[in-house]
C-alpha cells in the first residue's frame, strides 16, 4: 500500500521561484556598449563589474573620453522623480537627459548622461554617461565628451539591449520583459517580477 501512494514530485531547481533581483551580465553589457559606439571612436581601455556595470575609454584623436553604462532591472513605481523632466516615447519608454559637472575634483569636467527606462512591471533601465577628460580627478582635456548627446541616446535606446542575457537566470532569456517567453528558470518571469517588488528606482544606478 505504501508503494501505491504517489510520491510528491521533486521541485526542479530551475522551477524554484527566484527571490533575488535579476542581474545583467557585466561582460554582456561591456561587449554590447563597445559594439554600439560610433565607428570613429577607438576603444583604448575597458573594464567593469561582474554584473550591471561596464565602461570603455574612447579616443577620437582629440583625447580620451570615458563612457560608462549601467544596465539593470528596477521597479517603475518611483520612476516619476527620475524622469519628471524627460520624455515618454510612443512605446512607453521614459528618457531623461542631463548635462552637468563631473562627480569629482577635476576643473571644467562635465558629464553627459542619457537615462532610459523601458516599460513593464519590472522596468529595464539603461543609463549611459560620457566625460570630457580621461581622469575625473584631473582637469578637462577636451572641449566636450567624445560621443555627442544624440549618440549616447542612440546607444541607450538601441534594440541590441533586448538580446543581452541575464546572468544566473538558469536559462538564457532576453532582457526585454516584453519579449521574454517566461521559460522555467527565467529570472524575470512572473514569479521573479512579483518577488522583486522591494527594488527602489529612487536610488541612482551603481556607477564607479
Amino acid at each position: 500500500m505504501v508503494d501505491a501512494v504517489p510520491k510528491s514530485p521533486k521541485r526542479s531547481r530551475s522551477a524554484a521561484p527566484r527571490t533575488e533581483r535579476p542581474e545583467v551580465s557585466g561582460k554582456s553589457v561591456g561587449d554590447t556598449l563597445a559594439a554600439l559606439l560610433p565607428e570613429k571612436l577607438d576603444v583604448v581601455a575597458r573594464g567593469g563589474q561582474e554584473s550591471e556595470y561596464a565602461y570603455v575609454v574612447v579616443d577620437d584623436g582629440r583625447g580620451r573620453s570615458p563612457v560608462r553604462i549601467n544596465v539593470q532591472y528596477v521597479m517603475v513605481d518611483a520612476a516619476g522623480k527620475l524622469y519628471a523632466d524627460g520624455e515618454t516615447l510612443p512605446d512607453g519608454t521614459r528618457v531623461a537627459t542631463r548635462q552637468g559637472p563631473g562627480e569629482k575634483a577635476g576643473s571644467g569636467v562635465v558629464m553627459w548622461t542619457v537615462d532610459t527606462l523601458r516599460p513593464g512591471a519590472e522596468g529595464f533601465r539603461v543609463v549611459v554617461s560620457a566625460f570630457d577628460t580621461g581622469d575625473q580627478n584631473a582637469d578637462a582635456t577636451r572641449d566636450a565628451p567624445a560621443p555627442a548627446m544624440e549618440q549616447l541616446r542612440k546607444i541607450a535606446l538601441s534594440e541590441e539591449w533586448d538580446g543581452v542575457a541575464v546572468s544566473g537566470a538558469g536559462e538564457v532569456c532576453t532582457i526585454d520583459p516584453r519579449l521574454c517567453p517566461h521559460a522555467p528558470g527565467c529570472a524575470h518571469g512572473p514569479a521573479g517580477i512579483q518577488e522583486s517588488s522591494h527594488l527602489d528606482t529612487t536610488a541612482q544606478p551603481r556607477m564607479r
Side-chain angles (χ1 to χ4, degrees):
M1 292 180 63
V2 172
D3 292 338
V5 177
K7 295 180 180 179
S8 299
K10 291 184 178 180
R11 198 171 197 176
S12 68
R13 182 178 178 183
S14 63
R18 299 179 62 85
T19 57
E20 72 273 15
R21 175 178 68 169
E23 290 188 338
V24 182
S25 161
K27 182 180 185 304
S28 295
V29 170
D31 290 345
T32 303
L33 171 61
L36 291 173
L37 291 170
E39 291 184 4
K40 68 176 183 179
L41 301 182
D42 293 327
V43 177
V44 296
R46 60 184 294 176
Q49 298 175 170
E50 184 177 346
S51 63
E52 300 187 348
Y53 170 75
Y55 72 88
V56 296
V57 180
V58 300
D59 194 326
D60 59 357
R62 291 178 289 178
R64 296 191 170 198
S65 179
V67 181
R68 67 186 190 184
I69 191 163
N70 252 78
V71 178
Q72 58 188 201
Y73 286 96
V74 296
M75 290 300 293
V76 299
D77 294 345
K81 283 187 177 180
L82 290 173
Y83 304 95
D85 297 328
E87 62 179 306
T88 301
L89 303 183
D91 69 351
T93 298
R94 307 285 294 272
V95 182
T97 58
R98 308 179 189 97
Q99 291 180 276
E103 301 169 320
K104 298 184 180 179
S107 175
V109 176
V110 298
M111 178 173 68
W112 292 358
T113 298
V114 176
D115 187 341
T116 65
L117 181 68
R118 270 70 166 178
E122 190 169 294
F124 179 49
R125 189 180 184 191
V126 178
V127 188
V128 60
S129 299
F131 302 83
D132 61 350
T133 179
D135 181 0
Q136 287 193 70
N137 290 304
D139 296 346
T141 56
R142 304 174 49 91
D143 293 334
M149 285 294 291
E150 189 57 36
Q151 291 171 327
L152 293 177
R153 178 187 174 96
K154 185 175 180 179
I155 291 171
L157 292 173
S158 172
E159 293 182 356
E160 292 297 319
W161 297 112
D162 297 343
V164 178
V166 176
S167 63
E171 293 187 9
V172 173
C173 185
T174 58
I175 268 186
D176 191 335
R178 295 167 294 179
L179 303 179
C180 173
H182 299 320
C186 166
H188 60 270
I193 291 175
Q194 183 178 5
E195 297 181 11
S196 300
S197 59
H198 62 282
L199 301 180
D200 183 5
T201 56
T202 58
Q204 292 296 319
R206 296 197 301 268
M207 291 185 175
R208 299 289 185 266

